[in-house]
């Protein structure tokens, strides 16, 4: 479960508009959940942070495809 206090939909809307502060806030908010998901699905833990970063890079590139 995600911590409260961050309106994810609002952050996404702001990121789609080019707000880099909102992108940082979104990443900081989602990072623990994404890292936990990566850790649970990755056979080797040494590349955990690399894969977590890759997930965020792909997600940010594709954010404008959300409707």
């Amino acid at each position: 479960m995600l911590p409260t206090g961050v309106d994810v939909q609002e952050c996404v809307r702001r990121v789609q508009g080019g707000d880099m502060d909102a992108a940082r806030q979104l990443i900081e908010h989602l990072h623990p959940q994404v890292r936990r998901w990566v850790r649970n699905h990755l056979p080797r833990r040494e590349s955990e942070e690399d894969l977590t970063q890759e997930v965020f890079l792909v997600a940010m590139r594709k954010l404008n495809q959300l409707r």
Side-chain angles (χ1 to χ4, degrees):
M1 184 170 194
L2 293 174
T4 59
V6 174
D7 184 341
V8 173
Q9 290 179 338
E10 177 63 18
C11 275
V12 168
R13 186 190 63 72
R14 288 174 43 210
V15 172
Q16 289 172 328
D19 184 338
M20 290 297 102
D21 288 332
R24 275 189 289 282
Q25 184 180 15
L26 187 61
I27 290 170
E28 287 173 9
H29 178 71
L30 295 175
H31 189 272
Q33 182 179 1
V34 171
R35 187 162 186 172
R36 197 168 26 257
W37 183 86
V38 166
R39 184 180 299 132
N40 290 333
H41 291 86
L42 189 66
R44 288 175 277 134
R45 294 181 80 127
E46 63 265 4
S47 60
E48 176 181 308
E49 187 58 33
D50 290 340
L51 183 54
T52 300
Q53 289 177 6
E54 187 63 30
V55 167
F56 280 111
L57 285 171
V58 171
M60 288 296 148
R61 278 190 228 128
K62 304 235 178 221
L63 210 54
N64 285 329
Q65 295 176 5
L66 293 177
R67 295 179 190 255

